[in-house]
Every structure is written in C-alpha cells, then in structure tokens.
Amino acid sequence: MKIDGIRSIEQSGLDKYSVYSTHVSGECRQIPSSQPRKRLAYVIGVMFTGAACQNLYAALPESGFIYQLKNRQADLCVATTGATGAPVKVGECSGANSQRFTILNKGGGNFTVKTVPETGSCLAIQEGVAPNGAPILVQANCGGTPALSKQWRLVEKANGMQLVSAASGQCMVASGGVGAALVQGVCQDRADQLFTVTKFERSSTVPSESGQWSAPIELGGVVASSATLLPNGKILFWSGTGTHSFHQTGVYNTYTGTFDPATLQVSIKNEFTGHEMFCPGSVMTADGRVLVVGGGGDLPIRNHVTSYDYLSGRWYREANLAIPRWYNSATILGDGSVFSIGGDGAGGAEYADKEKSAEIWTPSTLGTGGVTGGSWRYLPNTGEPEWTGGEGAARHQYYRKVYLSTAGKLLELAPSPIMRWHSTAGDGATTVAARRMDADNPGMVDGYAQGGTTVYFEQDRVLLAGGAAAFGDEDPSKVEADVPAYNKSYIVDLATGKASSTSPMHFPRYQANGVVLPDGQVMVVGGVSRSLLFNDQKALMAPELYNPTSQRWSVLAPMNKPRIYHSTAVLLPDGRVWAAGGGQCGTCSVNQTNAEIYSPPYLFINGIRPSITAAPQEVKYGNGFQVNVSSDTNIDRFVLIRLGVTTHITNTDQRLVKLSHVGGNGTFTLAAPQNGNVAPPGYYMLFAINGRGQPSIAKMVRVA
C-alpha cells in the first residue's frame, strides 16, 4: 500500500495521526484505527486526486511536530551546520536537533522547512544567484509569508519526495556523501533528488512531549562503563585499570566512583580488588551487594569475583569461578543464587571451551574482609545446542541474554536466534526453546542480534531491539567493524520461549542501553547505526520510547553527548534516567567521562506528583502490606522496579512488577509478589502512579 499523507485527528495521546491512502478509484480513505499500523511509515504526501483528499495540506500541524529529511541515494539526513547563511549538508542520521525540521504549510502547495529549535530560520536558496549548482542555505525571517526563495513544493515520486524551490523551480540535490552540501539542480527523477520525509511524533523542544536533558556532569575523569543504582539512592560506577582505559598488564585495580543524584557530588577511588572488573558479568544480590563476576585483565585472574557492600562502602573478595571468563552474563534466580554463562575464557587446555557451559553461585554471608565464602557449581551439561561454529563475527558467546521466567525457567533469548532453555538441576541441561524468526523476512530465521537491547518490561515479557550480525572490532579496517545495525524489534515471551515481532525503531541501533520507566514504557538510549566500537561518527543522539500498549516507538529529545560502546543508563528513584560513559579506549577521542540526566515527559505533566508518605522497608512474598500516598487525584497503579547492574548494555536485573492493590483516600493495601521467580529477592523501587500518568518519587523496598 502506498501511503500518501497524514491528517491530524486527535489532540491528545501518542496516536495523533491517521494515515490516508490514495486507492485505484481515486478515493482518499482513512485506515481504521483498529487495523495494525506498526509497519507504516509516516510521510507527507502531495499528489491527491480524490475529493476526500482536498485540503489535506491544511490539516498538517502548524507547529510542534518534527520531521526528518533523508536522501534516498546517500542514505544520509539533511543537517544544518551553522548560523544564518551557512550551507546545509547531509550527515549520518542521528536524530540530533540539527537534523530536525518543522514543515509548515504556506498555502498554494508551498511549505517552509524551518530549523529546530525554533529561531525563525529555514532552508532557502540565495536570491539573485544562478540556481543550477547553487547551495541550499539557512536563512532567517521565515515567519509569516516569507519570500518564495524560502518556500518549497513537495512533489511525490515513486520512491520518495522531491523538494522543489518555489522561486527557481529547481530541486534540492544531495551532492555527495557525509558533509556534502545540498545544492540546486534541474529536477530529474534521480535518487540524489529524492527524500523520505519522516515524522517524529514528539517535539524535541517541548519537554511535556519529548522530555529534557540536563547539561553534562563530569565524573572525575572516569568512563562509567559499568553502573548501578544502590539501595541508598547513589550510583556506583566503574571503568578498568585506567580511568578511561583497560587491560594494563600486571595491574589488579579498577577505578570506581559514586555519584549522588541529589547533590551531584562525585567521589572517585582506585580500588585494588585483585582483578580488573572490566567486561564482567554483573548482578545485584538479594542483600543489595553488587556482584562482579569475572572480567578482563591478566588471564590467570579472570576467575575472580568481588562484591561491593553499599553499607560499608567496601569491596570484598568472593569465591572464585569454576571457569575463568569475561564478557559473560549473570542472572539472579528466584532463590538468590546467581547463574553465569558464556564469555571468553582464559585459554589453556584445562579450560578449553568450558566457558560455553554455565555455573551457579550460592551466596554467603558478607564477611569483614578477605574471601567471604560462597561457592560456584559448574554445570557441564549446559551449553549451546545447534551451534554450527560459523558465528565468529557475532561473537555469540558475549553477554548471552538470560532471563528468569515466573515459572522459574531460564531463557537465553539473544544474541543467538536459537533461543534456549537452561536448567540448573544436577549437572544442568540446555534445550532449544524456539527459533527467533526474522521480522523483515517472513519464514526466515533471524540473524544474530549482538549488541541488541533487552528489557524486562512486563511479567514474562522482554523487549529485544536492534543489534547487529557482528560484534565489531577495535580495528576499524576489519569487515566486522562496520556491519549495519538493525532497527527491528521483538517481544519475547518467557512463558513460551517464543518471540514475536513488534514495530521497528526509527533508527537502527547497536550497543544502545534500555531502561524500563515507571509507566511501563521502555526508553532506549544511544548506540550507533553500525557495529562500530570506539567510533562515534554514526552515534545516535536521539533516544526512542517504546509504548507496549500502542506497540509504537517515538523519538525523544536528543542527548548532549554520544553514548556508544561502553556507555550505561540507569533509572533514578525520582523517575529520571542517568546516562553516562562511552568509549574507554585510552588515548582515543571518543571517551565520555561525563553523565547527563534525562527528565521524561511525565515529569512535565501539569499537577502535583503523588507522594508515598509511608511504606515498609521490607515486604515478604505473598503477604499484603500497607502504603500511604498523598495525591491530588486518583492513584491508578503501583509498580516495583528492581535495582540492576548494567555493563555492555546488559542488565538482566531490572524488571517491572505490577502490584495489585485495594483501598483509597490515601491508604492502600498492596499484594507483594508471590515468590522469587516473579520478583527475585533484592531491592526494588516502589512507585505510585496517578491517573495523569505521574509517578511518585520511589521508596526503596527490599523484597524477601
């Protein structure tokens, strides 16, 4: 079906537009809102013959809605590069404000293409200059009825739109690759003159629609490549043996830091934990410790495990892994034990390929120093059934995404498309659950989703978004270092072990972080559009928000700094999102030793946020507990969100758990989760959410 236009039909909510199609009969007919529209692109159409399509232009929004212009030949986006008079160029599509435009109807089939944020400037040609080959410029004073040199006609072609100057009659042309100027040229049906015009559903300059970012906050020169929110409300983060580097031979330290969101205070320490806590598995234990499982550094010490106690502010040694490993994953189970699998090993015949199998940790009581005990049990019969040995570029062993279902089963859902059940009984066992089918190629098995984002957002539901067929490489000359990322997304059902496709992201993303918000939506932050590691040239500046109810993505306000490989993102108790890190490559130019804090749209809703005035510090499985809430409107729901440790975009800890409740007038009785499979033991943020969608500031609650 060819989509020809958009008409505004609602003024509230995400679903503001219905799509209209020109059919063979010439009729212009609305697609029913009940019909699935997840694969539809939103474009501005211009050629309508049906009577019902008349005045379609008049229905386009006059302000507040943002569009991206992408050239079909270059596969690059139109971008402004400076102040008034500066040439307009094309660049890697990132969602930055420099690539966002408001398209306004000026009547007579003409439009202005205004820059974002609103400054009164727009894309224009220079009057009095021979048009052929002349540059497209940013010009001021585009309000009201501007000169024809500042107006464009949008002409629909089979494969895109031409932007035709209302003054010269010539077309906008992308003259080359990244950084090439847009110029005028005689209109021809060529790809360098064709653009896709995509609507972002939210304005980047209206906080109540797309949120707002803080200014960058320095983190003492440390790249936060691992991070977690602690039960005391502070953030713990760390890098490697260097503040922004790793793998210094013979050095057994790690640079760590804490960040206080309330005061913005940063404290940095160089901790000598006996190993480098870089590229480890990581998880938060039932008692609130941060468990760091394995990690890089010298080969002989990749079996080391450490834990951080937030009460004492100290790191402790734990029992060594049975098998040395790094780039492994870690998942907490319903009884508080920890499952770890995959990664690379330490070499040597005695460990050959043993990291392909899992092991499980039984926790110990925190000691006062030295090795605190606990134990790891190797599970030799777990592994990688149906592995063919041809997945080297994907490095499928890295950060295998393993999640606990409410039935107590463990499902590995990525990066391999062969999804697997893992059992921890006896010597363990692994069986194939299902094959993830390709959303873009029906009937075909999906490719590897290395570097894909996974988030547990609802009971037994995990969102899988993006990724690439290759892990990438530190050497940019290698083929696997520049493989296109995906924008496709899936919902994985942990109860059945099957995946179903949902709407794709606006941007393909590799190594993006995912955060579940109190309202149940999922925010995906940063990443790059190809499998690049220490390179931010294709960084994505605009986060996206997935709405599970509408199954649609929307583009949010762009960040200040790129968040690429080795970046992190963490939900804060006040409902904001802390994003940090990226790079950690020594003397390279892409190290981000800073953080920035995002305030989601729900923090800009008119009205007073609810406030939890009383809640227990600990709740027991299966029991009811009382919560008091002050609110100027009804309380709609309560949710728990588990504190999680994130590194290399992997955070299997975080999960949203909905709680049933009764009561009112400020006093509510909530039902605690039934068991540890529904909500693994540990610390959670308890949010109350009112009927306007505003979350309270969370109370920390331990579930046991």
Side-chain angles (χ1 to χ4, degrees), residues 662-678:
V662 295
N665 297 320
T667 301
F668 301 88
T669 299
L670 281 59
Q674 283 298 307
N675 55 56
N677 296 329
V678 175

Side-chain angles (χ1 to χ4, degrees), residues 99-111:
Q99 297 178 3
R100 301 187 185 204
F101 303 91
T102 305
I103 299 180
L104 302 180
N105 177 18
K106 293 300 177 181
N110 291 346
F111 296 83

Side-chain angles (χ1 to χ4, degrees), residues 213-426:
W213 288 94
S214 73
I217 305 161
E218 275 301 316
L219 297 178
V222 174
V223 173
S225 58
S226 298
T228 182
L229 178 69
L230 298 170
N232 61 10
K234 295 182 179 181
I235 290 175
L236 172 73
F237 61 92
W238 67 93
S239 59
T241 51
T243 56
H244 52 278
S245 60
F246 56 91
H247 289 1
Q248 297 181 36
T249 303
V251 179
Y252 306 130
N253 69 294
T254 303
Y255 278 89
T256 73
T258 56
F259 172 80
D260 188 336
T263 65
L264 306 186
Q265 183 176 352
V266 177
S267 175
I268 302 298
K269 291 183 179 180
N270 186 9
E271 297 281 1
F272 288 84
T273 58
H275 73 130
E276 182 184 32
M277 301 185 297
F278 177 71
C279 301
S282 54
V283 73
M284 183 167 284
T285 65
D287 59 0
R289 279 181 284 168
V290 179
L291 191 72
V292 180
V293 182
D298 289 354
L299 295 177
I301 58 172
R302 289 183 179 174
N303 62 348
H304 282 205
V305 179
T306 54
S307 66
Y308 177 80
D309 173 33
Y310 75 96
L311 293 172
S312 65
R314 294 180 57 188
W315 291 89
Y316 296 90
R317 278 285 307 279
E318 297 287 348
N320 287 348
L321 285 159
I323 305 299
R325 52 181 92 222
W326 69 317
Y327 282 97
N328 49 308
S329 61
T331 305
I332 189 166
L333 306 187
D335 62 357
S337 58
V338 175
F339 176 91
S340 185
I341 193 169
D344 278 343
E350 70 274 27
Y351 297 125
D353 290 333
K354 288 186 177 181
E355 69 277 359
K356 293 180 179 179
S357 296
E359 49 192 296
I360 189 167
W361 177 74
T362 302
S364 63
T365 301
L366 185 63
T368 58
V371 177
T372 65
S375 60
W376 289 90
R377 177 168 58 89
Y378 185 55
L379 305 174
N381 291 343
T382 55
E384 304 168 334
E386 297 197 13
W387 181 70
T388 63
E391 300 89 344
R395 300 192 201 179
H396 68 286
Q397 73 273 27
Y398 284 9
Y399 288 109
R400 296 160 66 175
K401 305 297 196 296
V402 180
Y403 283 83
L404 177 71
S405 76
T406 56
K409 301 175 69 176
L410 285 168
L411 181 69
E412 180 183 333
L413 56 89
S416 173
I418 309 301
M419 300 191 297
R420 305 174 175 109
W421 296 115
H422 296 295
S423 170
T424 62

Side-chain angles (χ1 to χ4, degrees), residues 504-699:
M505 294 182 289
H506 287 264
F507 298 99
R509 293 179 189 264
Y510 170 74
Q511 292 287 338
N513 285 279
V515 176
V516 63
L517 301 180
D519 62 3
Q521 298 189 87
V522 178
M523 182 181 179
V524 174
V525 184
V528 290
S529 61
R530 301 181 76 87
S531 62
L532 300 168
L533 297 182
F534 303 130
N535 186 321
D536 62 8
Q537 293 182 7
K538 299 179 188 293
L540 296 160
M541 302 303 294
E544 296 188 50
L545 189 69
Y546 180 74
N547 184 324
T549 302
S550 65
Q551 298 185 39
R552 288 169 62 177
W553 292 87
S554 54
V555 179
L556 302 175
M559 302 178 293
N560 296 295
K561 299 290 185 179
R563 303 296 171 191
I564 61 170
Y565 184 54
H566 290 157
S567 64
T568 50
V570 173
L571 178 68
L572 300 177
D574 61 7
R576 296 182 298 166
V577 175
W578 183 88
Q584 194 172 342
C585 39
T587 58
C588 68
S589 62
V590 300
N591 294 317
Q592 295 294 339
T593 59
N594 54 68
E596 51 194 302
I597 300 176
Y598 175 74
S599 297
Y602 52 58
L603 296 182
F604 299 94
I605 297 173
N606 290 330
I608 300 172
R609 297 175 67 179
S611 173
I612 300 177
T613 56
Q617 294 182 349
E618 181 172 298
V619 299
K620 297 295 185 181
Y621 290 118
N623 291 348
F625 62 98
Q626 184 173 303
V627 172
N628 295 334
V629 181
S630 173
S631 178
D632 66 350
T633 187
N634 66 299
I635 295 300
D636 182 66
R637 60 195 185 276
F638 292 88
V639 299
L640 291 170
I641 297 181
R642 195 177 194 278
L643 306 191
V645 188
T646 181
T647 187
H648 293 72
I649 70 162
T650 300
N651 184 351
T652 59
D653 277 345
Q654 71 167 336
R655 63 170 57 197
L656 183 146
V657 180
K658 296 179 181 178
L659 301 178
S660 61
H661 71 276
V662 295
N665 297 320
T667 301
F668 301 88
T669 299
L670 281 59
Q674 283 298 307
N675 55 56
N677 296 329
V678 175
Y683 283 88
Y684 289 74
M685 290 179 280
L686 173 65
F687 291 95
I689 303 170
N690 66 20
R692 293 188 293 261
Q694 295 169 295
S696 66
I697 294 175
K699 291 290 187 181

Side-chain angles (χ1 to χ4, degrees), residues 91-138:
E92 298 287 352
C93 298
S94 70
N97 275 339
S98 61
Q99 297 178 3
R100 301 187 185 204
F101 303 91
T102 305
I103 299 180
L104 302 180
N105 177 18
K106 293 300 177 181
N110 291 346
F111 296 83
T112 55
V113 182
K114 301 189 74 173
T115 58
V116 172
E118 174 60 55
T119 61
S121 298
C122 64
L123 306 191
I125 66 169
Q126 189 172 357
E127 295 184 271
V129 175
N132 202 29
I136 310 298
L137 306 174
V138 175

Side-chain angles (χ1 to χ4, degrees), residues 58-77:
L60 287 169
E62 286 294 316
S63 64
F65 294 91
I66 308 302
Y67 296 84
Q68 171 188 273
L69 306 176
K70 185 176 183 179
N71 184 256
R72 298 284 300 209
Q73 177 167 292
D75 200 34
L76 300 171
C77 284

